[in-house]
């Protein structure tokens, strides 16, 4: 299957700082990328959908000003957690699709964010 | 509320036992159905998928799933599990509502005893 990378894999930051997470599709053009959040022992919760060159669509309850998403190219989407707080600590996973998400999504390995 | 329900959160089996993991969803209309697997320390990967046609679909590593429309179910099965099947399994449903959105079930942690 297609390969999706995420960077960094782990990040620890102080409360109030911002953290950027990159998601790259390495061998295909991802017209759509999804960002998920996974709490311990829970499922993936969709945070937002980003289409290349368009503004991201956020799920209900997700603050768009806190979780800034940019999908500037067909191979790169970034999630910036602004003014991070301890409650933002979580596992963030991106996925990429060349079918708008209708068919298979290819997942990145995830980023573990810890906010002190 | 629209949801995807997985019946078992934890399953422990011995090698060679048969496996069935239940998945039900509450959406009407056309959906695409998936089972994803996450092996320890690895990222999510596709196990199998159903879009249309034969409701019995076969995936990798001997897994299969059956779509029963009347029951809104998409249960995962494997006749004989192996130790290497130890993983977390997620059922997922994608529907198009002005853009495709995938909802995941809570996941089932399978532990296979050698």
């Amino acid at each position: 299957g297609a390969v999706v990378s995420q960077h960094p894999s782990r990040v620890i930051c102080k409360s109030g700082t911002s953290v950027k997470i990159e998601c790259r599709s390495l061998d295909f053009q991802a017209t759509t990328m999804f960002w998920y959040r996974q709490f311990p022992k829970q499922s993936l919760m969709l945070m937002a959908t980003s289409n290349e060159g368009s503004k991201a669509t956020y799920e209900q309850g997700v603050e768009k000003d806190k979780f800034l998403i940019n999908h500037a190219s067909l191979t790169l989407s970034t999630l910036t957690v602004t003014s991070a707080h301890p409650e933002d600590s979580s596992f963030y996973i991106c996925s990429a699709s060349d079918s708008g998400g209708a068919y298979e999504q290819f997942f990145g390995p995830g980023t573990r964010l810890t906010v002190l | 509320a629209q949801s995807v329900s997985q019946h078992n959160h934890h399953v422990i089996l011995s090698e060679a036992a048969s496996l069935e993991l239940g998945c039900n969803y509450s959406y009407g209309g056309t959906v695409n159905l998936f089972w994803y697997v996450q092996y320890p320390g690895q990222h999510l990967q596709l196990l199998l998928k159903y879009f249309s046609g034969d409701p019995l679909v076969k995936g990798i590593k001997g897994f299969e799933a059956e779509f029963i429309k009347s029951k809104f179910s998409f249960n995962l099965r494997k006749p004989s599990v192996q130790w290497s099947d130890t993983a977390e399994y997620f059922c997922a449903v994608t529907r198009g509502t002005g853009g495709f959105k995938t909802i995941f079930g809570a996941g089932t942690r399978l532990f296979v005893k050698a």
Side-chain angles (χ1 to χ4, degrees), chain B residues 34-86:
Chain B
F34 305 83
W35 277 96
Y36 285 92
V37 61
Q38 188 171 28
Y39 296 103
Q42 298 187 28
H43 57 273
L44 277 161
Q45 55 187 284
L46 183 69
L47 201 55
L48 47 76
K49 58 192 175 187
Y50 173 80
F51 300 150
S52 64
D54 188 345
L56 183 63
V57 293
K58 295 190 182 300
I60 60 172
K61 303 185 181 184
F63 285 89
E64 64 179 31
E66 184 175 14
F67 170 52
I68 302 179
K69 189 174 183 179
S70 61
K71 295 185 177 180
F72 296 89
S73 69
F74 190 55
N75 293 353
L76 180 71
R77 299 193 291 251
K78 185 170 183 177
S80 176
V81 295
Q82 301 174 310
W83 175 80
S84 58
D85 294 323
T86 295

Side-chain angles (χ1 to χ4, degrees), chain A residues 4-79:
Chain A
V4 175
S5 69
Q6 271 184 252
H7 178 79
S9 58
R10 294 176 182 269
V11 58
I12 301 172
C13 69
K14 293 182 179 180
S15 185
T17 61
S18 295
V19 174
K20 179 185 283 187
I21 302 170
E22 291 187 348
C23 177
R24 293 181 184 272
S25 59
L26 299 184
D27 51 4
F28 72 106
Q29 293 186 326
T31 52
T32 306
M33 287 186 171
F34 301 90
W35 286 94
Y36 296 88
R37 185 171 177 176
Q38 186 176 29
F39 292 98
K41 299 185 179 180
Q42 294 189 32
S43 187
L44 284 74
M45 290 180 55
L46 180 65
M47 297 175 65
T49 302
S50 74
N51 292 295
E52 185 266 338
S54 303
K55 289 184 178 180
T57 303
Y58 291 81
E59 294 301 300
Q60 192 172 12
V62 178
E63 298 176 59
K64 63 180 181 180
D65 294 330
K66 180 166 188 63
F67 298 100
L68 300 177
I69 292 172
N70 182 276
H71 191 167
S73 77
L74 287 170
T75 59
L76 173 64
S77 177
T78 59
L79 167 68

Side-chain angles (χ1 to χ4, degrees), chain B residues 18-39:
Chain B
S18 64
L19 170 71
E20 181 160 2
L21 301 181
C23 174
N24 286 89
Y25 62 95
S26 61
Y27 305 104
T30 303
V31 294
N32 293 337
L33 302 164
F34 305 83
W35 277 96
Y36 285 92
V37 61
Q38 188 171 28
Y39 296 103

